Amino acid sequence: MASLSCALYLPTKCSSIRENGSINNTPQATSALSVQRPSVLDVAYAVAFNPATSLTAEQIRQSVPTEKQLTDPFRQGLIVEGGVRYRQTVVIRSYEVGPDKTATSETILNLLQETALNHVWLSGLLGDGFGATHGMMRNNLIWVVTRMHVLLDEYPIWGEVVEIDTWVGASGKNGMRRDWLLRSRFSGQVFCRATRHEHTWVMMNQQTRRLSKMPEEVRDEISPWFTETRAVQEEALEKIDQLDDNAKYVNSNLKPKWNDLDMNHHVNNVKSVRWMLETIPDEFMEDHQLSSIVLQYRRECDSSDTVQSICEPDEDSLPRDKNIKILTGFSLAPEILDGGGLLGTFDKWPTRYTHLLQIKGEKKDEEIVRGKTTWRKKTKKSLNSSHLPVLKQ
């Protein structure tokens, strides 16, 4: 066991749980001559994270583990399924929901990203980068994500407890994928399934921005975590057509802000998705919710880039009835309604859209990400009691 002889600042508890289950939130007074002894949990946690090694002040503050851990009490995370799958429990907070009190698509995407990083964190593989392993850091490499597919079967509501599982596996001969499963902690209802493909055998050098083959030490780091379980079955990858400026919806002159950048100084993936979805008219967004999104990444976006978001609806996905009955039961053909300008009153919108995010250059434009979204009509229904815990009197 590692020694605690080095100087180390441990977190102190501001509350404690009594034997009867009540919580004592009374702060404990301290003075310059007295040192508050940390709890057994804090000491054990600090020892597990090997504080006797030559850690920087930032690493001590982060408590980055240097070897595999099975639980993370601060993030409500643990390793399950034979030691390869990561599970985290979260509560949907007030700032993570929209006007309808359900989690936004951005919230879901942020949770996917956060749990993926926490998985690498708890595995003991996290280096000093944005999800990079120790071997990747020694070789100055970062991940290159190529494709992501998210299926949203239902949305959790404000205050709901959500359980998120994530794991990794091989994708073909030279690739890796990451999968997620989000479900209700109490009912087990599945909210979201997602998969992400990464070129892990071909990675990018952070300084030269050139692709590089994966070193053997990095392959040896991650391969023991592979599992064959899949959250999304993708037999044939759907092609996403390229769009141009003649698309129906276009937002130009989008400028990344400082807060839009991630730790690699690129525009955050969730921000990119927001730019894509904001191109769709608000009238549609008010009555529809995202049910599926497929993203194909082409290149990163920097703070100095000027971005254009392009969107084209799939007219074949427009709901059309052969005959539309009017009040008394008489039927009118769609052609008559179109000619009379009455079809718009029935709120008919396409349910599939193709997207393109690109950098506008002086000589040529460069694609950032292509996307395809599928939407469904929002339904007004009361909360299902099966989603919520049963409180005993």
Side-chain angles (χ1 to χ4, degrees), residues 286-305:
E286 290 175 0
D287 297 326
H288 295 77
Q289 59 183 186
L290 186 66
S291 62
S292 171
I293 182 169
V294 179
L295 302 169
Q296 292 181 355
Y297 295 96
R298 304 290 177 167
R299 58 154 297 169
E300 68 273 11
C301 178
D302 299 324
S303 59
S304 59
D305 294 327

Side-chain angles (χ1 to χ4, degrees), residues 76-349:
Q76 297 294 307
L78 68 158
I79 299 296
V80 296
E81 298 290 336
V84 295
R85 180 184 294 208
Y86 176 76
R87 177 173 296 166
Q88 183 171 339
T89 303
V90 301
V91 178
I92 302 301
R93 308 189 186 279
S94 59
Y95 52 82
E96 296 175 324
V97 301
D100 55 0
K101 297 183 181 181
T102 62
T104 64
S105 56
E106 289 184 33
T107 294
I108 300 297
L109 295 175
N110 277 321
L111 288 175
L112 299 183
Q113 180 171 278
E114 181 67 14
T115 50
L117 290 174
N118 290 344
H119 185 197
V120 182
W121 183 292
L122 204 60
S123 69
L125 298 178
L126 185 67
D128 193 27
F130 194 40
T133 67
H134 299 290
M136 292 173 62
M137 293 303 301
R138 285 190 289 268
N139 291 272
N140 203 30
L141 299 174
I142 59 176
W143 299 112
V144 179
V145 181
T146 58
R147 180 182 175 89
M148 188 167 185
H149 187 185
V150 181
L151 295 172
L152 295 157
D153 301 324
E154 190 61 74
Y155 285 78
I157 63 173
W158 172 38
E160 188 157 17
V161 181
V162 178
E163 201 171 68
I164 307 172
D165 283 16
T166 183
W167 62 94
V168 293
S171 178
K173 295 182 179 180
N174 298 315
M176 186 187 85
R177 74 174 198 282
R178 173 173 288 279
D179 291 72
W180 291 267
L181 181 67
L182 279 71
R183 60 190 170 212
S184 169
R185 175 68 175 81
F186 299 106
S187 71
Q189 179 187 12
V190 174
F191 294 126
C192 171
R193 295 165 290 137
T195 186
R196 183 179 71 189
H197 297 267
E198 298 165 315
H199 280 313
T200 52
W201 290 186
V202 182
M203 312 184 79
M204 178 181 288
N205 186 289
Q206 193 170 14
Q207 292 181 342
T208 64
R209 316 308 298 172
R210 294 181 179 179
L211 296 180
S212 172
K213 289 185 178 180
M214 171 179 276
E216 285 297 326
E217 63 172 319
V218 178
R219 186 179 310 187
D220 293 339
E221 282 180 321
I222 65 174
S223 58
W225 292 86
F226 284 0
T227 179
E228 297 182 0
T229 305
R230 292 177 179 267
V232 179
Q233 298 294 334
E234 290 186 312
E235 297 181 358
L237 301 182
E238 183 180 4
K239 179 182 177 181
I240 302 179
D241 297 329
Q242 183 179 10
L243 300 180
D244 55 34
D245 293 353
N246 295 321
K248 185 171 184 177
Y249 304 119
V250 178
N251 283 350
S252 300
N253 297 320
L254 301 173
K255 299 283 188 178
K257 307 297 183 184
W258 175 255
N259 290 336
D260 298 330
L261 305 182
D262 59 25
M263 288 183 276
N264 288 328
H265 295 271
H266 301 150
V267 173
N268 185 282
N269 289 335
V270 178
K271 177 63 177 182
S272 298
V273 173
R274 179 190 295 180
W275 278 338
M276 295 173 62
L277 300 186
E278 285 179 346
T279 312
I280 302 177
D282 290 341
E283 294 82 2
F284 174 83
M285 303 287 281
E286 290 175 0
D287 297 326
H288 295 77
Q289 59 183 186
L290 186 66
S291 62
S292 171
I293 182 169
V294 179
L295 302 169
Q296 292 181 355
Y297 295 96
R298 304 290 177 167
R299 58 154 297 169
E300 68 273 11
C301 178
D302 299 324
S303 59
S304 59
D305 294 327
T306 300
V307 180
Q308 183 181 54
S309 180
I310 302 173
C311 174
E312 182 67 31
D314 182 358
E315 298 299 339
D316 291 337
S317 66
L318 183 67
R320 280 181 177 270
D321 300 325
K322 293 182 179 180
N323 293 290
I324 302 177
K325 295 184 177 181
I326 307 294
L327 298 178
T328 60
F330 292 100
S331 299
L332 292 177
E335 293 80 6
I336 298 177
L337 294 174
D338 283 333
L342 298 177
L343 190 57
T345 62
F346 289 88
D347 191 23
K348 299 291 184 178
W349 290 89

